[in-house]
Structure formats: C-alpha cells, structure tokens
Amino acid sequence: MGKNLKGKTAFIVALLVVFCYGIVGIPHGFGPAALKQAITDRINLGLDLKGGIHLVLQVHVAESINSTTDRDVERIQDDLSKATVTGATVGKLDPAHPEAISVTGVSAANTSSTRAILQGVDYNNYDVATSSDGGWKLTMKPGAIRDLETRTLDTSIETIRQRIDSLGVTEPVIQKYGLGDNEILVELPGLDDPARVEDVIQSTARLEIHAVVGTSYESDQAALQALGGALPPDQVLVRGAGSAGNPEQTWVLQRAPVVEGTDFRDAQPSSDQNGRPNIRFTLTTEAGDRFYKYTSTHSRDSATPGSMAIVLDNKVREVASINSAIRDSGEIEGGFTKQQADDLSLMLRTGAMPASISYLETRTVGPSLGAASIRQGVIAAITGMLAVMVFMLIYYRGAGINADLALILNLVILLGFMGFTGATLTLPGIAGVILTIGMGVDSNVLIFERIREELRAGKTAAAAVQQGFGHAWITIVDTHVTTIVSAGILFLFGTGPVKGFAVTLTFGLLANLFTAVFVSRVIFDAILAKKERGAELSI
C-alpha cells in the first residue's frame, strides 16, 4: 500500500511539473515581468483580449458560376469545331442567369453529333434540353451549383488563410460564418499593420488575361455605339489602361479569359530592364499549353495578329501586343510600386480568389480594451477561487484542504493544456475557466457529502472514503460527460469566442475528472495512512 501511494504521489508531482512547464516554458528570469512574458508567450490571447481586427466578408459565389460557364462555353465551341460541326454558336442565354448556356445554328445533319458531345461525360454537370428554335440549352444542375458554391467558399477561406499566414499574423481565426450565406469570419489578433493586411484581403487578385477585340473607346457608350448598340454575349466591356493624356479607356474583351488566377503556379516580384517593379509569373502545364496556343495564333507574325489585356480586379492594367508565342512564363508590368508588386505576387503565389468579396462588418478592438478585459477577468477568477477555497475550508474543515489542493492542480492542468496545444484564450474562455472552478467544487461536494453519509451510517473512515468515491464516481462522470457533449456542440457550430469558451470548458472538465477522483483520493489515502485505526476524519 505504501509503495502504491508513493508511486501515485510521484505521478501527481511529475504531472504538476509537466503542466507548469506548459504554462511558462523556460522563463528568461524569475521576476514578475519575466514570468508574465513567459506565460503570454505560451498562451495565445484571442482578439477580444489582445486587440486586433474583426471582419465579416461576403463571397460573391455567383462570379465563380459565371466564370465556370464562360470556360465551358469555350470548351463546347472547341469540341464542336473538332467534330466538324460548322455554323454553331455557343453563348450565354441571359447575364442574370449565368448557369445557362445556349447552342444555336446546328444543322439537322449535325444534330446527333451535337447531342453526343453535350450529353457526354465532360458536361454531366448540366441538364441538356432542346429549345423551341431547334437549338440546345444547357442548365447547370442544382447539385453542381451547390458544390461549386461550397468549393468557392472553401477555396476563398484557404486563400485568405495562406495570405494572412504569409504576412506572419499569429493565431488568426478564418472560418465560415454561420450567421449568413457564403460569409467568412476573419479575426486577426495583435495586428501590427492592419491597413496592409486589410488591403491584401480586400484585393481579390482576380488576375486574368483576355483577348482584346478591336480597339479602345473613350466610354462604354462609345463602345456600344460602335458595336451597333448591343454587346455580343461572348464579349465584355472593361475600363482601364489607356494612352497618355487619356489614362482610362473602355476595352472590348473576350468574356472568357485565356488565363485566370487559378492557372498561376508561381509569381515573384522582380524589375524590368529600367529597374521598375514588375512581376514574373509561371503558369501550370495545362494553362501554359492553352496560353501558347492563343499567343502563337495571334502573334505579330501570324495570320491573325492581336493583343491581350492584363485585367486585375476587373480593371485593365495593361494591354500588350503579342510579339511571339508565350508558353508558361512571362512578366506583368503596370506601373507598380515595390509594395504593390510584393503584395500582388504574394496573392498570386498563394492562390487567386475564385470570386470577389465585400465587407459586411469591420470592427477594431484596441489593445487597451483587451488589457482591461484580462485584468478584470483575472480579478474575477482569483476572487471567485479564493471565495470557494475559504468556503471549503470552513464547511469541510480538514477535507477542505484536500479540495483546495485539487482545485489549484485543476487550474494548473487547464492552463498547461492550453500552453501545450496552442489554444487561444478569449474573454468567454476566461468565463469557462471560472465555470470550471465551480464544476470542480461541485465534484468535491458530491464526494464529501457521500463520505459524510457513510460516516453517519457508522462505517470507519477508510470504508467511508472508499464508498464515498465509489458511489459518487458515476454521478460525477455523468455530469461531466453531458457538459462536455454540450461544449462539443458549441465548438462545432459556434464562432471564435464561443469556441474559446467550449475549449477551456472541455479542458477544465477533463482536468476536473482527474483531480476530483484521482488526486483527491490519493490525498485522502495519504491522510488515512498516517492516522491510527479508528481515528476520526476531519470532514
């Protein structure tokens, strides 16, 4: 019995040392300032405690649907040409319904070939039907639209996360926001340069290269007038770079881009031969082949020379003539500053946003407010803990010391868990810590009251302790498991601060199960081992 008790005591002491290390690590000194710095280095503070920026973003997923169908229009036209289906026109039915594609001008002789292409595996995301004029209508299936919207939202979250991580922001919260459709919650605690990070997030970096149709015009009205009053469905008007003295003009571009943001494999800031900042890019293999096909067909020496427009965030940044074929690498010039070139290359390198975003909510939390929250939270926790400890000492006498020691160890394990796992402590998380203190006392009260009942029934102290822990164990586990399940639901469906509360509450409950049942029992066994048989237990 003695060896077993010593082994358990040694295990508890070792655990205490380990979790103390989780809280402070290896401090550079032992003064109050050094210990405070060591704790803040190990335990991450959330936005509401550290200060920073809270953002709610709306992702315009319809743009991703529009981009997908634009690309499929080009694919269908190319597949029909390969199948020698001549005279067919492929385009969008209505800009308000980007999920629909029309195919017209198919002769009766080519009907079977067209049907085989449109109903093939390449276009199984569309419902295919014949229209009244003898043409074909492809409508993206609702399931495919939902999958594309989900993928667009997930890709946007991952892209934002990569950009923020590349800027060195610690412990950001970037996740779906459950209070609205296609919304993203972004929390950036301890932000040193909020303006730059916000600019990086705001810029969707939808870099595209489009074929230029004709020439530029002074305004959209002039372009439409030159086109006979109506814009063809496969073309789009975009404002942007112009000649000297007229810095902005309207360009008529092919709607479907030759290259878009997701086609970029790498991008690095560089400079041209005059020392001006620019960006060197590398395309994926598939995009490189596609780009080579276009540039070789429309180069200066080809039969149909042309030019291409570099479009960034729906604005023409540069229009370049195609001097020779380009495969998978090139340069982007556009009067960038060094900072703009660095940021744009970062955004392209980490992945282009699949759709643009808008801001629904922007809120800034100052570090002084966070410091006040920490101070008040710590005061509340210490005050509550001291009040509980004093009550346990008065009401349960000697056994109250047992409960107080278990309570202190419970708090050490909880904070050590957070230090080891890198969990973020938020203001609701502090509330979770305080609630854990109450749950810990509740477990001790259940055990102590059961022991008192056994003593009143005439049992010895050792038998009363054994029966008290044995009978209270089931109740303690039941209450803790049900609360942990509730905390798990909060973690799955809650936002950042709510998740912080769920994490600290769960860790605290797990620690409480250990301290209330194992540690407290070891302390009772140590006390009983020193008492003579038949001696009373102070409880």
Side-chain angles (χ1 to χ4, degrees):
M1 180 67 182
K3 290 184 178 179
N4 192 24
L5 186 59
K6 288 181 180 179
K8 291 179 179 179
T9 304
F11 174 72
I12 294 172
V13 172
L15 206 65
L16 179 63
V17 172
V18 169
F19 283 107
C20 283
Y21 174 78
I23 297 174
V24 300
I26 302 177
H28 300 288
F30 295 96
L35 291 177
K36 180 180 178 181
Q37 183 62 44
I39 292 174
T40 55
D41 288 342
R42 299 284 295 183
I43 298 179
N44 302 306
L45 300 180
L47 179 71
D48 50 0
L49 298 179
K50 196 174 183 179
I53 291 182
H54 167 96
L55 304 169
V56 178
L57 314 178
Q58 175 84 56
V59 182
H60 300 288
V61 295
E63 293 181 3
S64 184
I65 298 172
N66 196 32
S67 177
T68 300
T69 51
D70 280 343
R71 180 62 60 85
D72 287 339
V73 165
E74 296 292 323
R75 290 173 57 204
I76 293 171
Q77 190 74 65
D78 191 47
D79 289 343
L80 292 176
S81 298
K82 290 178 181 178
T84 65
V85 177
T86 58
T89 301
V90 185
K92 295 287 193 67
L93 279 173
D94 184 358
H97 298 281
E99 72 280 359
I101 299 174
S102 67
V103 180
T104 58
V106 179
S107 64
N110 292 321
T111 299
S112 59
S113 299
T114 303
R115 180 186 296 109
I117 292 172
L118 299 182
Q119 294 181 345
V121 66
D122 290 341
Y123 306 106
N124 58 6
N125 285 336
Y126 292 89
D127 289 322
V128 182
T130 56
S131 54
S132 58
D133 59 358
W136 301 81
K137 178 182 178 181
L138 289 81
T139 306
M140 188 176 289
K141 297 177 180 177
I145 292 177
R146 287 193 299 270
D147 290 343
L148 184 57
E149 290 178 345
T150 301
R151 191 163 59 250
T152 299
L153 187 62
D154 291 341
T155 303
S156 299
I157 291 174
E158 186 59 31
T159 301
I160 292 174
R161 188 186 310 280
Q162 291 177 357
R163 294 178 184 178
I164 297 301
D165 289 345
S166 298
L167 291 177
V169 179
T170 58
E171 298 300 323
V173 174
I174 305 167
Q175 62 190 26
K176 294 180 182 178
Y177 194 53
L179 301 183
D181 293 333
N182 304 314
E183 294 179 4
I184 300 175
L185 171 68
V186 179
E187 292 185 343
L188 307 173
L191 203 61
D192 294 327
D193 189 0
R196 183 185 176 194
V197 176
E198 191 168 339
D199 286 343
V200 169
I201 296 177
Q202 279 178 333
S203 177
T204 59
R206 283 182 60 81
L207 181 65
E208 300 171 335
I209 299 177
H210 291 257
V212 176
V213 180
T215 183
S216 61
Y217 302 89
E218 291 185 357
S219 64
D220 291 357
Q221 292 77 9
L224 289 173
Q225 185 177 359
L227 294 171
L231 185 68
D234 62 340
Q235 296 176 9
V236 64
L237 301 180
V238 182
R239 294 284 293 176
S243 57
N246 189 9
E248 277 214 353
Q249 293 180 313
T250 295
W251 297 88
V252 182
L253 309 179
Q254 286 289 339
R255 179 179 294 275
V258 181
V259 173
E260 58 185 348
T262 53
D263 294 327
F264 288 87
R265 174 183 294 167
D266 189 25
Q268 298 292 336
S270 182
S271 57
D272 61 16
Q273 57 186 2
N274 297 318
R276 293 173 297 191
N278 66 0
I279 299 162
R280 296 182 185 273
F281 67 87
T282 305
L283 302 176
T284 62
T285 302
E286 178 186 356
D289 293 341
R290 189 168 64 246
F291 198 39
Y292 177 78
K293 177 181 178 182
Y294 169 75
T295 54
S296 60
T297 304
H298 297 87
S299 65
R300 182 175 55 187
D301 299 329
S302 65
T304 55
S307 56
M308 57 185 180
I310 310 297
V311 179
L312 177 62
D313 292 338
N314 298 318
K315 186 173 183 178
V316 175
R317 296 298 297 264
E318 181 183 5
V319 176
S321 299
I322 305 173
N323 295 325
S324 59
I326 306 171
R327 186 173 291 278
D328 60 356
S329 62
E331 296 182 359
I332 302 172
E333 299 175 350
F336 302 114
T337 65
K338 186 178 186 304
Q339 185 68 70
Q340 289 172 334
D342 290 342
D343 288 345
L344 179 56
S345 62
L346 165 64
M347 289 182 283
L348 294 176
R349 195 165 60 246
T350 55
M353 295 284 284
S356 63
I357 58 176
S358 59
Y359 282 73
L360 301 181
E361 181 182 351
T362 301
R363 187 167 71 245
T364 302
V365 179
S368 59
L369 180 60
S373 300
I374 295 174
R375 183 173 59 256
Q376 293 170 356
V378 170
I379 290 174
I382 293 176
T383 302
M385 189 169 181
L386 288 177
V388 168
M389 291 174 69
V390 170
F391 169 80
M392 296 298 287
L393 287 172
I394 295 173
Y395 193 75
Y396 290 108
R397 296 177 289 178
I401 300 175
N402 183 333
D404 291 346
L405 291 175
L407 199 60
I408 293 172
L409 182 57
N410 188 3
L411 188 60
V412 170
I413 292 176
L414 171 57
L415 295 178
F417 258 127
M418 299 189 70
F420 279 125
T421 59
T424 300
L425 181 64
T426 61
L427 190 58
I430 295 178
V433 173
I434 298 173
L435 181 58
T436 298
I437 295 173
M439 292 288 291
V441 172
D442 178 68
S443 299
N444 283 298
V445 168
L446 287 173
I447 295 170
F448 292 174
E449 288 300 320
R450 186 69 191 195
I451 292 174
R452 280 181 168 182
E453 290 180 4
E454 299 295 336
L455 289 173
R456 283 193 290 266
K459 294 185 178 179
T460 64
V465 169
Q466 183 177 1
Q467 291 296 318
F469 276 93
H471 290 295
W473 160 251
I474 297 176
T475 304
I476 293 172
V477 170
D478 181 60
T479 56
H480 281 65
V481 168
T482 53
T483 309
I484 288 174
V485 169
S486 300
I489 294 173
L490 289 177
F491 183 83
L492 289 175
F493 298 102
T495 56
V498 176
K499 284 189 173 184
F501 173 79
V503 168
T504 54
L505 181 59
T506 301
F507 282 164
L509 292 172
L510 293 174
N512 184 52
L513 275 175
F514 173 74
T515 57
V517 177
F518 181 79
V519 175
S520 185
R521 179 63 185 272
V522 170
I523 295 175
F524 269 118
D525 289 342
I527 293 172
L528 292 172
K530 295 179 179 180
K531 288 182 176 292
E532 296 180 0
R533 183 180 297 272
E536 292 186 358
L537 186 66
S538 177
I539 187 170

